[in-house]
Amino acid sequence: MVDVDELVAAARVVQLPMRVRFRGITTREALVFEGPAGWGEFGPFPEYGDAEAAHWLRAGIEAAYEGLPAPLRTRVEVNATVPAVPADGVSAVLAQFPGCRTAKVKVAEKGQTLEDDLARVAAVRKAMPDGAIRVDANGGWTVPQAHEAITRLVADGPLDYAEQPCASVEELAEVRRLVDGACDIAADESIRRATDPMRVAELGAADVAVVKVAPIGGVRAVLAVADALRAAAGVRVTVSSALDTAVGLSAGIVAAACIEDGNAAGLGTGGFFTADLGEHPLVDGALAVRTVAPTAERLAAVEVFGERRDWWLDRLRRCHALLAR
């Protein structure tokens, strides 16, 4: 285990301004550090407790100190990601995802209605008439709400899958039973925020596993979970972003490139930032497999000090202590 003082000495705390509100935020904070193998990221969202956030630190240490596994491909197809914008804002969002043939649409946003969701998905269908559509509720529906929403959504056209329609694994299993094959059900939070991600397989709760590098603890941990879920339940696997900076996104891209039969990855989130630590250009709906090393100029443009830096360093020390146990 790398010494915590070494991590603190290398730590740079950054704030990335965003073009649109996503997950309720307009600025993304994270801590990045350089090690002998490259750059790592520690960016758990503020509401996450230390036990959960420690997985994110493990992922950053893997990238910076162990290095990432060798990918199987040089390019990774990604989906467009549409936040909970009004229907008339969909075209502007999709313009940031040239060549994408799949779109994931956020639904069940607090303060919005099912009619808002239906209108947003309809606008995506109109803009991408030959595209595959996914919806992501982030656990925001009850079982009856999820059943109604999915029923109404598939009446307008097929869905690739509905991601985390409800909060618990038991609810996912019930929704999957109710929709009866009309739409695949994907598990996200029920895997990355679970003490036992295999419960999804045990309860037959999902057709698709959405896995994210930082919350699960690194690329190798993601690949192990993906292999276990596919072996136990035959699920498809989608690698997605945790709204990572370009540093963290590098690890996600490598993870997706290590999964031979992966779906279009949810990694096209770099366009949400007006400033970032590097670039992963989207070309014809795909990202090249490459890692990012921030330049001094990039870091200086977004680095923060004072109270926010102290907050992140305190969090880093607490999470490191948990890993050291």
Side-chain angles (χ1 to χ4, degrees):
M1 169 70 76
V2 59
D3 184 80
V4 68
D5 290 333
E6 184 176 343
L7 290 176
V8 168
R12 313 289 290 269
V13 177
V14 299
Q15 289 182 341
L16 307 187
M18 300 174 61
R19 300 180 192 281
V20 295
R21 180 177 294 274
F22 191 78
R23 288 190 88 263
I25 61 174
T26 55
T27 301
R28 179 69 166 112
E29 283 191 349
L31 182 155
V32 295
F33 48 86
E34 186 178 15
W39 284 79
E41 178 175 320
F42 173 58
F45 295 105
E47 67 269 21
Y48 288 9
D50 289 348
E52 191 172 357
H55 295 293
W56 299 60
L57 180 56
R58 183 184 290 113
I61 291 172
E62 177 194 55
Y65 285 85
E66 299 173 35
L68 303 177
L72 302 176
R73 301 190 304 282
T74 59
R75 297 172 74 253
V76 170
E77 182 182 354
V78 301
N79 63 235
T81 301
V82 181
V85 297
D88 60 7
V90 163
S91 294
V93 172
L94 291 178
Q96 301 172 31
F97 298 92
C100 288
R101 297 174 293 176
T102 302
K104 182 169 79 170
V105 187
K106 292 292 183 178
V107 294
E109 182 84 354
K110 290 182 179 180
Q112 296 188 8
T113 67
L114 177 55
E115 300 306 319
D116 296 321
D117 296 337
L118 292 166
R120 186 179 310 112
V121 173
V124 175
R125 291 190 194 280
K126 182 177 180 181
M128 298 178 62
D130 299 320
I133 308 298
R134 304 164 173 172
V135 295
D136 181 7
N138 289 118
W141 288 323
T142 64
V143 170
Q145 288 172 336
H147 186 208
E148 178 189 2
I150 292 170
T151 299
R152 293 185 64 183
L153 285 164
V154 298
D156 293 334
L159 290 179
D160 184 29
Y161 57 71
E163 181 176 329
Q164 201 69 40
C166 301
S168 73
V169 178
E170 291 79 7
E171 288 172 319
L172 291 189
E174 178 66 8
V175 171
R176 187 168 181 249
R177 183 189 67 80
L178 288 171
V179 301
D180 192 26
C183 170
D184 280 356
I185 301 300
D188 175 9
E189 286 88 346
S190 289
I191 294 172
R192 65 180 169 88
R193 302 194 71 175
T195 55
D196 180 10
M198 294 307 295
R199 288 196 70 239
V200 168
E202 293 167 3
L203 296 185
D207 306 282
V208 181
V210 179
V211 292
K212 300 179 179 180
V213 167
I216 293 180
V219 173
R220 291 173 180 83
V222 158
L223 298 180
V225 168
D227 285 345
L229 287 169
R230 284 185 297 179
V235 299
R236 294 188 283 148
V237 176
T238 301
V239 177
S240 191
S241 165
L243 200 57
D244 311 296
T245 75
V247 167
L249 198 62
S250 298
I253 294 169
V254 169
C258 287
I259 297 176
E260 191 167 0
D261 58 347
N263 298 296
L267 297 170
T269 53
F272 289 144
F273 302 123
T274 60
D276 201 346
L277 298 177
E279 295 183 0
H280 290 286
L282 184 60
V283 179
D284 194 25
L287 299 173
V289 180
R290 59 186 293 270
T291 56
V292 160
T295 64
E297 292 76 16
R298 292 262 190 180
L299 281 165
V302 294
E303 189 170 10
V304 294
F305 300 91
E307 185 272 334
R308 293 312 301 161
R309 174 178 167 81
D310 293 343
W311 186 90
W312 276 99
L313 293 181
D314 286 344
R315 195 182 197 194
L316 172 65
R317 290 185 181 278
R318 296 195 309 270
C319 290
H320 184 277
L322 292 177
L323 294 182
R325 295 174 190 172

